[in-house]
Amino acid sequence: MSAQTKIKKGTFQHVESELYAYHETRKEIVRLKNEILYSNSSADENVGGGKGNIPGDPTGRTAILLTSHKKLEQLQMIVDAIESVVERLTDDRKKLLRLRYWDKPQILTWDGIAAELHVSRRTAVNWRDEIVRAIAEKLGWR
């Protein structure tokens, strides 16, 4: 996590929005996987023909869908980046993430979060900046 890495303001805001939506994103991943795994509809590729000579492979088709679903792939990439950064954080920085992004309703200001962490407001904001930059870097966003 180099403090020198500069990212665009829009990227910073996007990463923050992904942090706010982290738990919903995980639920969406589970929903999409279940939809793929347990849907009965299979595309009929044999339009207007007789019986196809290729044996059906629902397991293979499901595996291909799971690995090639663009939205699922993107959401999983975001969650993986967040989790890989979070697992390397100190307990104080993890608490900062929880207080700032994941506790509902959000009632603490930066001053309140800093007081909870027993650090200055500037230190808390610097920690946030480092975390957001590390996630953006992990995602390859600039």
Side-chain angles (χ1 to χ4, degrees):
M1 283 192 264
S2 95
Q4 305 301 334
T5 308
K6 187 77 172 148
I7 60 174
K8 295 177 183 174
K9 182 181 177 185
T11 302
F12 190 93
Q13 292 169 335
H14 189 168
V15 172
E16 275 200 306
S17 73
E18 293 298 346
L19 282 168
Y20 281 116
Y22 170 75
H23 295 290
E24 289 76 25
T25 302
R26 287 180 51 92
K27 288 177 190 171
E28 177 72 1
I29 289 170
V30 170
R31 188 192 66 74
L32 284 171
K33 284 182 178 179
N34 286 336
E35 191 177 282
I36 291 168
L37 289 171
Y38 302 115
S39 72
N40 290 343
S41 63
S42 61
D44 183 9
E45 297 169 6
N46 189 16
V47 178
K51 185 176 178 184
N53 63 353
I54 300 173
D57 183 10
T59 304
R61 188 172 27 257
T62 300
I64 289 170
L65 277 172
L66 281 172
T67 57
S68 66
H69 194 284
K70 290 291 183 198
K71 183 175 182 180
L72 180 61
E73 185 180 322
Q74 186 72 17
L75 294 175
Q76 191 65 58
M77 183 180 73
I78 291 166
V79 166
D80 290 347
I82 290 171
E83 289 175 352
S84 74
V85 169
V86 169
E87 73 185 19
R88 294 189 322 250
L89 296 175
T90 63
D91 289 341
D92 284 342
R93 285 171 172 82
K94 287 178 185 175
K95 186 175 181 180
L96 174 125
L97 281 179
R98 183 179 54 76
L99 293 171
R100 179 68 182 172
Y101 299 106
W102 299 333
D103 280 359
K104 304 287 189 237
Q106 174 61 30
I107 54 173
L108 292 176
T109 63
W110 275 112
D111 291 322
I113 292 170
E116 283 278 325
L117 297 171
H118 309 293
V119 296
S120 71
R121 180 183 194 277
R122 184 72 245 157
T123 298
V125 171
N126 284 342
W127 288 356
R128 185 263 331 247
D129 293 351
E130 289 173 12
I131 293 166
V132 170
R133 278 196 292 274
I135 293 168
E137 191 174 302
K138 193 83 168 162
L139 288 165
W141 295 351
R142 48 184 193 91

